Amino acid sequence: MSDSHLLKQLVNSLTPREKSNFNNTISGKGIVQRRIKNIFDNLVDAKVPLMKELERREYYRHKLLLKKQLLDFLLDDYESGASYEAELHRNLRLSAYLITRDQFEMAFELLDETKRKADEFDFHMVVLECLRLEGILIRNFLKADTSIEMDWIFHEKKCRLAMLDYETMVSYNHDKLFIQIQNGKVESQQQMEVPAEYLTHTCQRLLLSDKARLAKFNNEKAENKKYRKQIVELFEEKPLRKEIFPTTYISILSNYASALNSSKEADIMLEIIDKIKHFKPSGEFEKVSSFQLVRYLELLVFIGQNEFKKASALESETERKLGNYVGKLDKTFEITIYFNLAASLWINKEPTKSIKWIQKIIKYKYFEARTDIQRFAYVMAALLYADTKNAKELEKLCQMAYKPGRFKIEIPSDYCKLILLVAKIEEGSKKVSTEHYLNQMESIIASKDFIKSVGVDELKLWIMNRKTGKSLEELAKEM
């Protein structure tokens, strides 16, 4: 990727407030500053292609200046913020500056306070820097029993480095286990032992997470749920922790929610939704993470409780928010939200709106996210086209089913058979009864390979609707 594209990527990561503030800082006089402003104006619009002139040699220096000014702006903005971590780093810089001004006792007091705060939430590198500066103060300026104090600092550094070592090893094993589970083969289910004096909060959380992952891998649902709940409780022991690590907190709640049964444990899922709604995210990433998790859980709960009207009522707000967060959502969450909204609208007798969300899935360009949903979307589209009497679009799907290479993603042969059967049912036949085709569909979805696939419930509903004439909502409540 060229330096111009990397710079555009950095500019597009800015929030609207940051873009506005930075724009004001670079709006100065002079040829150089005007050219920097011109480059920024081109980069700030994600839809506008890069100027060809940016690749010319005379623009190279101005791009470097823009990059430096932008990084300085981001650092100043971060350090001037009210975050816990920013305060710790400010204190470190201030302590070092106080030492240069011979304000040794004040620097020592500030370092002591900073070290205590950093230690509480496992900011090991901040603690080590505090110890380094304290060592300089004791050796050179403060009147004290230097040997005793320096021995204590050496011991503290040694302990802190040991904590870091154990955290690094636990983190390495954590990542290694994730890759092994992704590949479907776990080499060992034994966890490393961490001595109690070095067992930090981070180590505890990662070790519990590994237990949960192994439980899920071994299909031990109750154990997975137990460990996920313990992680949430551990994280919430100190209320300030979720404000300092908002992204981690949202991820932990998300993992706990995924271990729950949406129909039987809706009350717990509603508690999680309430926690996230009362949580005030500061950054853009936290806002996006909060929205997608809340919307995903709300749809799961409403569908699990057969509250399809409530689920459908979320459509307009969801569409508006998704428009604001283009390219920022987690792909798995995004495509699952599309599908759950489509299913809810369909059951709520709004097939035309449902088609709109299914089309979003079909047009989705990221084929590494929920390929099961992306494949089934074509079958779901066939059901919806049949329900809305859209013979033209159904015929297009049939032509693709006859030649599966036309699909954007690899489609299993059973899915193609289902699309063709839906078309035959819609066409009608004097020789073969509709029930015969419906029974064929039932035998496909009852097969060992299909029974646990996404979309089985939707297919069962459609088949029963055609057989009995009952409404989809009525049938969903009976299932």
Side-chain angles (χ1 to χ4, degrees):
M1 191 179 287
S2 71
D3 55 350
S4 298
H5 284 90
L6 287 172
L7 194 54
K8 189 176 182 73
Q9 203 173 66
L10 178 63
V11 169
N12 289 328
S13 72
L14 301 177
T15 64
R17 179 189 66 82
E18 288 170 339
K19 286 175 183 176
S20 175
N21 290 346
F22 182 68
N23 191 46
N24 292 334
T25 64
I26 60 172
S27 298
K29 295 180 180 179
I31 297 172
V32 173
Q33 210 59 29
R34 280 202 298 272
R35 183 167 281 188
I36 288 172
K37 174 79 166 58
N38 189 31
I39 295 171
F40 179 74
D41 289 341
N42 175 249
L43 297 173
V44 80
D45 192 338
K47 295 178 183 177
V48 174
L50 287 168
M51 294 189 301
K52 291 180 180 178
E53 294 92 332
L54 286 182
E55 300 306 322
R56 286 180 3 205
R57 185 176 296 176
E58 62 263 32
Y59 273 85
Y60 181 72
R61 184 170 69 91
H62 299 93
K63 285 190 292 185
L64 283 180
L65 286 170
L66 173 60
K67 181 180 176 182
K68 183 181 183 306
Q69 289 181 24
L70 182 52
L71 291 174
D72 287 344
F73 166 80
L74 288 173
L75 183 61
D76 289 342
D77 191 55
Y78 164 71
E79 291 194 336
S80 64
S83 77
Y84 194 89
E85 190 175 3
E87 182 191 344
L88 295 178
H89 286 287
R90 269 200 310 274
N91 287 353
L92 282 177
R93 292 176 70 178
L94 181 56
S95 300
Y97 180 63
L98 286 170
I99 292 171
T100 65
R101 294 184 66 91
D102 298 341
Q103 302 300 309
F104 308 130
E105 289 189 23
M106 189 177 286
F108 198 84
E109 286 177 9
L110 187 57
L111 285 169
D112 196 49
E113 180 193 344
T114 305
K115 186 173 61 180
R116 179 178 51 77
K117 287 183 175 181
D119 186 47
E120 194 174 2
F121 296 104
D122 295 349
F123 288 106
H124 305 301
M125 299 308 294
V126 174
V127 174
L128 284 168
E129 181 60 12
C130 285
L131 292 168
R132 186 185 74 82
L133 290 171
E134 283 182 352
I136 293 171
L137 280 168
I138 290 167
R139 280 196 312 271
N140 300 297
F141 309 113
L142 296 180
K143 294 178 180 178
D145 190 334
T146 304
S147 61
I148 295 173
E149 289 290 341
M150 291 307 294
D151 284 347
W152 176 82
I153 286 178
F154 176 76
H155 173 73
E156 281 287 297
K157 282 184 178 178
K158 192 176 176 182
C159 288
R160 190 61 51 177
L161 288 169
M163 289 178 187
L164 263 175
D165 281 344
Y166 277 109
E167 270 193 22
T168 303
M169 287 187 283
V170 169
S171 181
Y172 171 76
N173 289 338
H174 179 74
D175 294 337
K176 187 178 175 183
L177 178 63
F178 173 76
I179 294 166
Q180 288 176 357
I181 288 174
Q182 289 287 93
N183 294 332
K185 187 178 179 181
V186 176
E187 293 173 6
S188 172
Q189 299 198 4
Q190 289 291 321
Q191 283 195 323
M192 69 175 292
E193 294 291 328
V194 180
E197 64 267 32
Y198 304 132
L199 188 62
T200 63
H201 170 272
T202 304
C203 279
Q204 291 179 67
R205 180 169 54 79
L206 292 177
L207 290 169
L208 281 171
S209 179
D210 287 347
K211 287 180 179 179
R213 281 178 175 175
L214 284 170
K216 185 178 180 181
F217 179 76
N218 295 324
N219 203 28
E220 298 167 349
K221 294 180 181 179
E223 288 294 292
N224 178 30
K225 184 171 67 176
K226 180 183 78 175
Y227 292 129
R228 292 298 177 191
K229 184 180 180 182
Q230 285 177 10
I231 294 169
V232 173
E233 290 170 349
L234 176 70
F235 204 85
E236 290 179 342
E237 281 177 1
K238 293 180 180 178
L240 190 59
R241 195 183 299 279
K242 58 189 178 186
E243 294 177 28
I244 301 171
F245 306 104
T247 308
T248 307
Y249 183 56
I250 293 167
S251 175
I252 285 168
L253 290 175
S254 173
N255 288 330
Y256 180 37
S258 67
L260 299 170
N261 184 309
S262 58
S263 56
K264 295 178 182 178
E265 297 171 299
D267 54 336
I268 303 174
M269 294 185 86
L270 288 169
E271 282 178 24
I272 293 172
I273 292 169
D274 193 53
K275 282 180 181 180
I276 301 166
K277 282 185 172 179
H278 282 86
F279 173 66
K280 294 181 180 178
S282 54
E284 186 75 0
F285 182 77
E286 287 82 23
K287 287 178 185 175
V288 173
S289 300
S290 298
F291 160 73
Q292 66 187 16
L293 180 55
V294 166
R295 191 47 32 98
Y296 166 74
L297 293 179
E298 283 177 333
L299 287 168
L300 274 186
V301 169
F302 291 147
I303 292 169
Q305 295 181 324
N306 295 318
E307 296 279 3
F308 302 107
K309 283 185 174 61
K310 287 184 178 179
S312 301
L314 298 171
E315 189 208 13
S316 58
E317 187 198 5
T318 304
E319 192 165 22
R320 178 173 57 80
K321 287 281 182 74
L322 288 172
N324 295 337
Y325 298 144
V326 173
K328 296 177 181 178
L329 292 162
D330 176 89
K331 295 176 182 62
T332 299
F333 272 120
E334 184 178 11
I335 207 162
T336 308
I337 288 169
Y338 288 171
F339 181 73
N340 287 339
L341 259 179
S344 301
L345 289 161
W346 174 57
I347 294 170
N348 198 42
K349 301 177 184 176
E350 297 180 86
T352 307
K353 287 184 177 180
S354 179
I355 287 170
K356 178 178 70 178
W357 293 96
I358 289 297
Q359 283 296 341
K360 285 180 184 287
I361 298 172
I362 289 172
K363 292 174 183 176
Y364 206 70
K365 62 182 178 180
Y366 301 105
F367 299 119
E368 74 275 13
R370 289 307 302 262
T371 50
D372 53 343
I373 289 179
Q374 293 190 63
R375 288 182 180 123
F376 181 74
Y378 289 99
V379 181
M380 187 75 178
L383 304 182
L384 289 164
Y385 291 142
D387 285 353
T388 54
K389 307 296 181 185
N390 193 334
K392 186 179 178 181
E393 291 299 327
L394 190 55
E395 176 60 27
K396 284 182 184 177
L397 275 180
C398 286
Q399 289 173 7
M400 292 167 77
Y402 281 121
K403 294 183 178 179
R406 294 180 179 179
F407 290 109
K408 284 176 68 178
I409 192 169
E410 187 181 342
I411 301 293
S413 58
D414 281 346
Y415 284 41
C416 294
K417 289 176 187 174
L418 287 167
I419 290 169
L420 296 172
L421 285 169
V422 170
K424 286 178 181 178
I425 291 166
E426 193 54 29
E427 283 173 11
S429 171
K430 293 180 181 178
K431 295 181 180 179
V432 183
S433 68
T434 298
E435 190 162 354
H436 173 75
Y437 291 131
L438 290 169
N439 289 339
Q440 279 190 291
M441 289 180 72
E442 280 185 322
S443 66
I444 290 172
I445 65 175
S447 67
K448 185 180 176 183
D449 294 334
F450 207 102
I451 195 68
K452 291 183 179 180
S453 300
V454 70
V456 169
D457 289 342
E458 284 73 19
L459 283 164
K460 285 179 179 177
L461 282 176
W462 193 84
I463 292 166
M464 292 308 296
N465 169 257
R466 292 294 171 124
K467 280 188 172 183
T468 65
K470 291 182 180 181
S471 71
L472 293 168
E473 188 173 4
E474 190 179 352
L475 290 165
K477 289 176 180 178
E478 289 176 4
M479 280 179 70

